[in-house]
Structures are given as structure tokens and as C-alpha cells.
Amino acid sequence: MGSVVSCLFGWNPIDRAALGVLGAGQRLAKQCSVEHVVVIVGGASETSVADASKFADVVHVAEHPLLASYHSETTLTALTQIGRSLKPQAVLLGNEIYCQELVPRLAHRLGGTPGGDALSLNAEEGSVVITRTVYGGKALAAIALRRSPAVVWVRSRAQELPQPMSQNAEVKRWPLDLEPCSKVKLIDRHVEVQEASRLEDARVIVSGGRGLGGPEPFTHLQALASAIGGQMAASRAACDAGWVPPGWQVGQTGKKVSPQLYLAVAISGASQHIMGIADAKTIVAINTDPDAPIFQHCQFGLVGDYRQVVGPLRDKLVELLA
Amino acid sequence: MNGEIPTREVMWNVTHVWVMYVLLVPTLLIAGYGLYRRLAAWRRGRPENRFDQPWERLQLVFRHGVVQQATWRHRFAGFFHAMIFWGMIILTIATTVVFIHHDFGLPIMQGQFYLWFQSLVVDIFGAFTILGLSLAAGRRWLFPSKQLVHSWEGSMILVLLLVISVTGFLLEGWRIAATNDPWGAWSPFGYLVAMMSKSWMSVTSMQWAHVITWWFHMGLVFVGLAWAPYTKLVHPITAVLNLYTAPLKPIGASLKPIDFESDAPLGVNSLGGFTWKDLLDLDACTECGRCTAVCPANTVGKILSPRDVILDLQELSHTTKDFSAPVIDATQNLSPEALWACTTCGACVEACPVSIAQMPKIVDMRRHLAMEEAVVPDGMETAIGSLEARGHPYSGTKFSRLDWTKDLNVPQLADVGECDVLLWVGCGGALVERNQSVTRAMAQLLEKAGVRYAILGREERCTGDPARRMGNEFIFQNMARENIATLERYQVKTLVTACPHCFNTIRNEYPELGGNYEVLHHSQLLDQLVKEGKLSPKARSESKITFHDPCYLGRQNKVFDEPRQLVQLSSRRPSVEMQQSREKSFCCGGGGGMSFVDEPANQRVNHERSRQILSTGADVVAVGCPFCMTMLEDGIKTVQSADPPQQPIQVKDVAELLWDAVRDES
Amino acid sequence: MNILVCLKQILDPELPVRDFRIDSAGRDADRRGAGLVMNIFCANALETALQFREKHGGKITAIAFGSASAEEMLRKALALRVDTAVLVKHEFAHRPNPLAVARVLAASARKLGDFDLVLTGRESGDWGDGQTGGLLAEELGRPCLSFVDGIKADPSQPTDVQIRRQTDEGSDAIEASVPLVLTITNNEHNVPRIAKTRDVMQAFKQPLTQWSLSDLGLDESSLADELSSTEIIELTIPTKQTKCEFITGDSLDERIEGLAKRIVAVVQS
């Protein structure tokens, strides 16, 4: 009897991202008519284990002092041991950087096929077929991973949530045989404050333009940005006018950004500005002018006055994200 | 001495005149050495041929060295300089006359000539000299400005010349009074001094005053002579040399190609890297400061000062022994920051009364930074990288070269094989959204006029102009050769383009790489088509339009009138001329790679030009260049955003304006 | 230290969307008429290697496994003054997957000698698998760290390096012993430098080692296992919605709520 393994890290809570992995694993397991096995690596809290066991047939908790936090070699060794023992059809992980790092190496050690950024996974003709965007979002590929196991990191938040099983999973402790790694040593793990990261790396950006008329409205925009974990940016006009720091400028002669969400408030959408946000996944705009060029590049938007929209929008976002 | 031939006794009241001749020796030696030193420095520059077309060159010397057309552009300075110049000329002739008369024994300084010229004319011009010097001094001391170099030397020169001039009249006056010169009144100003002195000085005291002042005056003159070659007073010589060897081609053709086969350093980062002509340029500088005054970068507060680029290099050429030592960053005026602020508009070159080429030296130094050190400002680096990777500088554009042709039937050369005129679209015209409508208007106008045109479409690559201005001559040449190969393949003879940068590069810069074509700016062709009756515009608009001369079309290639014709044809109201127009047009700030660079918000050239446009009260500013279009739209929007008017000023290309007047009303 | 930098030539990521086409087989992008460039993360890796050599000495070998067009890219690496450039040429009908690429690169690395550091970009701008570095590490039997944006030699231990790598929350500072495989990501310190013009001109005269698979004792059939492990079933261009959906609602409050919901959906995706 094969299995589909969903792999989670014990030091993370069972949040939306983790649930996404579980959902994908559960679905794939069902398609393959195999067990859905969840492996939690690292010290997991009772709550996490309990949460995970709602969505699995079996939960293996692999605890070891050396697995208390991520280590490129040790964590890989642990997963390899587990993988070789379970011999699953597929191993799924989330889209964290550590997972992306593990996937190809784990696939190689298990003699399987790596895959990544999977939007969907399906069992077709005995292989796991994933779909993912390629060429900077210009195309969509369906890739069959023919060598088993398929070891895939999924775009967790794009996955559907898992369904509770009829009964909770059996929880087993997995005994691991691990040696400390002498070749690679973690010296320091640094957690950064959000604002310090670069605009080019920001996932969510809220940007203001000429229509805001002055520096004051940007503080309201900042509140909106904070509500959705976003960073601030501006069009050249606002930077020129001295309303905001020049480092906020996005555009042909400013920064080029590629966020998941770019919210343009009172920005007309001149092509030079668009050049800076060409790689944004979703562009949204708030503008009083329905014919403003920015709307030609948006997925959705609101025609309205920022004065009447920004405050209430922020409140609503806080409410929805709570 | 009535009845005798009018003359005067030379060296009256002066004894031991031999001392003067003795002192002349060290004076001339010192002066000679000063000249020699400069010449020696020029000779350390690289070779260059500036001796072709002697007749054209002499004309330049006459026009700007004698008539002083360029100096006259600044009326006040032109006036007082003419006073000083002609005064000096006449006084020099007068002294020569004395020398010939006294030292060669040829009695020319007598009779009517003595009265009319040596006395009257010389006196008047002597007074002109004092007037001119006083006005110059007044300007310098009462109205100090950024334009002038306010140095000890600058003031001292004026003081020296004034004292020499005034003492000259004193000497004349005291001689006239003390000798009871019967023809004294023929020297009116000297005569005035004589009258005034007589009232309170005895003859003896006048004789004493005269002899002391005579030696003092001579001493000052000799000091002046010896000192002059070490100061800007050398310009009578160097300016004439400089005018004779000036560039004969339009400013747009100023840049020199590089031979990449040779081992010579790429670009210039040493005095020895410049040509002898460049080094001569340095010594011709009169410190007038007009170049800095008209420099758009300097006007908006950037540290670039063309005058100081020249003067700092000049100083280095006098003080540096090692002509291979780096000059970039030797001073703040020669810093990379200053060099990268240049828009290559050429206003400095245009303004210089002695034909110094400031801007090409800046580009020479940029070449070193771009090619030898490979360090350029970020925005420029991206643009150059994009040129290399995809043949255009607009990294991030969503457009490809044929997108603008949507719904239009635009013939492509690859399909039709040949054409009468190739419409060179340019990267701005194809890939920048706002400019696409200009290209469309142009295509539609050509079709309406029945012109057999075609475009290269995807086979068109950037002309390489941005790379060249940003100092990367290597990439420029690569791109140019590619384009020339394409043009040759299709046997293109005539091109028309709406971009003055493409216009200038293909017309003036491709020939030395083997590409010779007839190139027209679209305003020239459209104007021609209207004159031939192939286009019949009917002005419908009531807009008050002002035309902004693109630097690369107007100042650098002398095309001013055709775009104005088109502007006038497109509106029922008379167009209005900006104060800074034609050769004096103020740059939009987009040239020299500057449109790709992020500038500090309070140092934007386009904002300054936008303010100038706003002050005309025009409804529309007409342009003839894709860079001007985007720079001015941006600038006007920003400048007007503080106080948005009901009707914001529109920026339109002359082709768009003409199309509006020509198209069928629908 | 001996450094091997693996470079990949990809379709210009700035190719306008309108010009992006799928080839006739429907398995890959159509390369005709499109520019080819060095993958940006590979360029970051090369820059990292150059900076490391400047500070600590060593030799850099640049290698690419690709078609003949990759020579142009390697000339750029030579213009940046790498010590050796190697092109392993193939003429596969379909692009080789990361497993095959890793195997070839590993064989090349072993043939070229011992490398202390093997650098790759963290992922490529075309298929973006992000697997080649990790797979290469496994082929060579070395530890691997990804998303590295800084490498320094350890002054006290010549066989160690100090590494900074990006994480979801910030960064990890790691000390590791060579030999290692590292995949490099970008930050403000490893912006690729531009080559000096003389070096660009010289680059065309420099020796460039060219190998075919047989020089490595490999051929298409010996890589069959790897090559067949993945199969591109389909490659399509999603129909892009350029029409902006204007949020509707009877009242402004309703529209704001609608907008908020859509924003939350994107933020949480």
C-alpha cells in the first residue's frame, strides 16, 4: 500500500499555508487511492499534531534534538530516512525557502522526480502531473513527474483546504538515527523586521501617486499597507514633488517590483510607471477617473476618491484578516 | 609752432629711454615663455587635422574674432567688449605708428594723419577703452554673478588696464599743457586733462608728474605684457587660433569616432588623451561663463559647470608635469557626478564666443568611465544592458516594434522590398506608449500624401545614439554597423524620422562608419509635402501654440523653420515664441542618457523648461522629439500639480498637430 | 579556492508578452526572433564568484550546458575575466530537465578537477525549477545551501567559508566546510558588474573549451533515465484578462467591501 506524504515542519503552526499542503496531499492521496500520511519534522506542539491528525490517515512525528530547527543537511537526512522507509508515491512540501531547498535533494536521494511551485497536482496514468506557471508567468505548464516518488513543493495558499477525515489519524513517533553535521553549522538565525526589506522583494505593495496631492494622504496609505503587510511605494510624480522619499519610486527610472499584489492609489498609470510594475502578479487600482490608463493593466479596481475609500478600506481589511 | 607740420615730439620729457628697451627684453622673454609653455602643452595632445578648408576657417575668424558676432549675443557684454577690443586695436596701431616713426625714422606720424587718426581717433578710442573697462568693472564688482569667475586675477586685470588707460590720458594731457601743443584740441580728452591740470599745476610740476607717470605707465604696460600670457589676457592670440581651428561641422557632428583596433586608451582620462585642439580650447577660454549660464544642468542646481570643466582642465594643463595622470575626479568640477549630469544639449558649445567645445570633452571623459572603468549611473547601466540584450534602451517596455501599426496598413521593407523613403521609427516612437500616436500620425500623413514609404519593423535596432552619449562608443559602433548593414541590404537612400537623435546620428555620425544617406526630420518632409500640395492642412484648432526646439534638431543641426511652419498651419491663432528658443532653446533634459536616470526632485531640467513654457500662456507646446515629448509631459504635469489649472497645457508633436489639420473630419 | 560557476542562457525575460509564443511541438517557448540572455541569478552567482576571487584569490571556471548559442554567454563571462570557460554542447530536440543537466554538470566538474565551491543561480528565469543546484550537489555528494547572497572566506580556517543565506523571515549566517554547492540569489551587493570594453574585445580571442557529451562519456541514451523522468504534457499561454473588473455595488461601502475581499484573496494566496 503506497502513500502520499505531506511534510510539515513542527516549528510552524498549522496555518493556512500548512493546511494548503495538507489539502493538496489529501486530494492527491484520494486520487491515487492511497493513504494520506503526514510527517511532522521537528518538535511539534500537541495542538499542531492534533490539528494535522484531522486530515490524515497516519501522522508521524519525527522528533530529535537535532531537528529542533531547520538544518540543510540534518533535516534532509531525516526526511530521507523516513522517505526510504515509507516508499511513498509522492512527498509534498510547502513553498517556504527551506522546502524549496529540500525538494530537489530529497527527490534525488529517494530516486524520484522533483517538482515545484505546483498550482495543482493530479494523478494521471500512474504519474503525478503538476501544473505551474513558467516563463515569468507568461505560460502555464503541465508536467508529468514520471519517476516515483514525486517530491513536490506546492504553492500552499493556492491549494484548497483539506477535509476532516472520518476519524483522526493514528499518531506515531518516528525514531530517528541522526548524527550532528560537522560540515555545515548554523551560526545565527536572523529575523528581520518587515519594513527593512527591499521594495523589489516585497510581496505586497501599496503605492500612491500624483492624485494624492500631498504628503499627508501617504500616511493614511501607510496604515492601509500595514493592514495587509505591505510596503509603501510611489509614482515618480509623488517623489518629484517631495511628498515621499525617493527610494519609494517605482517605474522606468525607479525600482522594478514584482509583488503578488500592487495596489495603485491615485496613480494615472503612465507607461513609465507601468514599466516598473510589469512583473506584478495582480495590479489593483483606486482612481477617480475610469479612463485612467492604470485600469488597462489592472485585474480589478475601484473608481472612487481615495479620500472616501482608503480609510474604510483599511478598516475592512483589518476586519477580514483578523 | 604754427605753420609747421602737425606732429609731436616722441619721448618728450623722457630721458634714459634706453632703459625702456633694456626692460623690454625680460618682458618679452617672460611673455614669450608664457606663450611657449602653452604651446608646449598643446603639442602634448594627440594629433588632429584642423587645417582643412582655410577659407571657411578665415571666415570664422573674421566673423567671431573681428566682427565678434558671438560676443555680441549678450548685448551689454558685447558692447563693452567691443569698446575695449576696438580701443585696444586702435591704441596698438597708434603705438606701432609711434614705434615706426621714432625707432625706424619713417616720419609717418605727422600732418593730417597725425591730426585725424593719431590724435582724434586714438583719443576717442582711448575713451571707449576706458568706458568699456569701466562697464566691465561695474558689472563685475557691482553685480557679482555665478556666471563670472570672481578672482583676484579678474579684478586685477581690469584695474591694470584702467590705470594704464587713464595714465595714458594724463600723460597726453600734461604734455599738451606743458608744451602748449597747438594741436592739443585734436586730442579732446587729453586736452580736457590739460585744461584741468593747468588750473592747478605749474609747468614744472606737470613735467615731474609726466616723467614719473610715464615710467609708471610703461612699467604697467610691460608688466601687463609679461603677465598677459599667464592669464586670460592671452585670449587675443588663443581665441584667434581657436577660431581658425574651430569645428566646421554642426554641433551634432561634434563627437569623434574611436578606432578600436588601436591600443590607445578608450576615452579620455588624462591631458595627453585630449588632442592638441582640445588643449588649445582650454587656453582660449576667457572665463566669460556664458557656457555655464546657459547649461540646463547648472541652471537647475547640478554641480556641472562647463566653464569650470574647461578652467580646471586648463589649470591642470599648466601645473601637471605628467600628462598621463588622471583628470577625472581631479577636482569636483571634473567629478563623475558632474560629468554624468550633462544632457549633451550643446548649449555650452553654441554659447562660447571663442568656439570651445565643452560638451565633447565631457563625452570623451564619459567614454573612459563607461568603457575603461565600466562604471556608469544605474539607470544608464540598465539602458545600455537593454541595448545589448534587445536592441533598445527601454527595459521593461511591454511593447514590441510593430505594436503601433495595429489597424494601420504600414508597409514593411521586408515585404515590399523597396521604398522611396524609409520611415525610421526609432525606439521611442515604437516602444513608448505616448510616442506611438506620433508614429501613427506620421504613417497616416505619409499615406495621405501618397509617399511610397516603408518601415524596417523588427529589423530596426536602436541607432546607438544613447550608448554614444553615455560614453559607450563600442556598443554604439556595433549597433551602427548592424543598422548600416540592414540599410545597405535594402539599398535605402532616403530616411525620414520623427526623432532628432536618430536624425542626427544617421545623418552626421553614420557616414564615418560607411553609411551615407539623405536624412530628413519629419518636420522637414512634412513641410515639403505641404509646399508641394500633397497635404492640405485646414487649421481647425484655436490653440495658442508654442514650439519647443529640440536640441538635436535645432541647435545641433540648424533646423528651426520647418517645424514652425507646421505649427502655424495647424492653428488659427498665431503661435507664440518662447524667449529661449532656436539656438537658445532650453533643453528638455532628456538627452545624454538623462531620460533613463533618476534625478533629485529639485534638480530636474524638464521642470525648469516646463516653467518657461507655462510662462508663455500657451495652450499647447509643440515638440518634434520623443524625448522632449515625455520629459515635457512629465514636467508640466508635475509643475502644474501644485496649482492645477482648468485646462492643463497639452504637449503635442508637430505630426500630431498636422494630422489633426489634415485628416477628414469624423 | 577553485570556484565553478554554472551559467544558463535563457529566453529574454523581458520579451513582450505579445511576442511570446509556444513552439510547434507545444512543449517549449519558441526561441525564434527572441533574444537570449544570461539568467540573472547565474549572473549574480558569477558576480559573487568574482568578488570572492577579488578578496580571497582563487580561480573561476564558468561552465554552461546548452546549445551553440550559449557560447555568446560564455564570452560575456570571459569578458568579466573568469579564468576558464567551458561549453558542453548538446543538440537535444527538447530542453534537458534539471536531473539531466545536473548529471552532465557533475560529470564536467569531475573532469575539470576539484572545486571548492560550485555556484549556480537559485533558479532560472524561464522554467524556474530551482532544482539544478540541489541535484548537482547530490550528484557530487556535497552539502548544499540555497538562496545564498553572501560568501566570505573564513580567516581562521582556510577550508571554511562564512555564508549568508536568505530565509522567509530574514537570513541565516552559516559556517560551512568546502567542498560545497551553493545556489545564489540577488541582493544589493551582488549586482552583476558590466565588463570593460577592452575585456569584451579580448574575450573573443580567449580560449573556450568546447565539449560534446561524448567527451564526458555520456550520450543521449545514457541520460535517458533522467531525461524521461519528466515530461511536458502541455504548455499553454493563459488568456490574459486585460479587462479590468470594476468592483460593483449599490453603495460605496459595498464596493469597498468587495474590493477588500478581492485584496485579501490575493494577499493570502
Side-chain angles (χ1 to χ4, degrees), chain A residues 121-159:
Chain A
L121 305 96
N122 287 294
E124 282 175 32
E125 291 165 14
S127 298
V128 174
V129 176
I130 64 169
T131 57
R132 58 164 299 163
T133 59
V134 292
Y135 286 100
K138 293 193 194 66
L140 193 64
I143 310 172
L145 308 174
R146 298 234 180 270
R147 238 162 51 171
S148 186
V151 182
V152 181
W153 62 269
V154 304
R155 208 184 278 187
S156 17
R157 291 182 184 82
Q159 307 304 315

Side-chain angles (χ1 to χ4, degrees), chain A residues 210 236 240 249 253 272 275, chain B residues 396 596 598 601 604 607 637:
Chain A
R210 189 177 283 129
R236 170 186 261 196
D240 275 5
Q249 186 182 326
T253 60
Q272 292 84 353
M275 274 190 202
Chain B
F596 302 105
D598 204 21
R604 300 278 172 96
H607 291 187
K637 259 194 267 187

Side-chain angles (χ1 to χ4, degrees), chain B residues 207-219:
Chain B
Q207 283 172 329
W208 274 114
H210 178 272
V211 71
I212 292 169
T213 307
W214 194 95
W215 284 103
F216 180 59
H217 174 100
M218 183 226 84

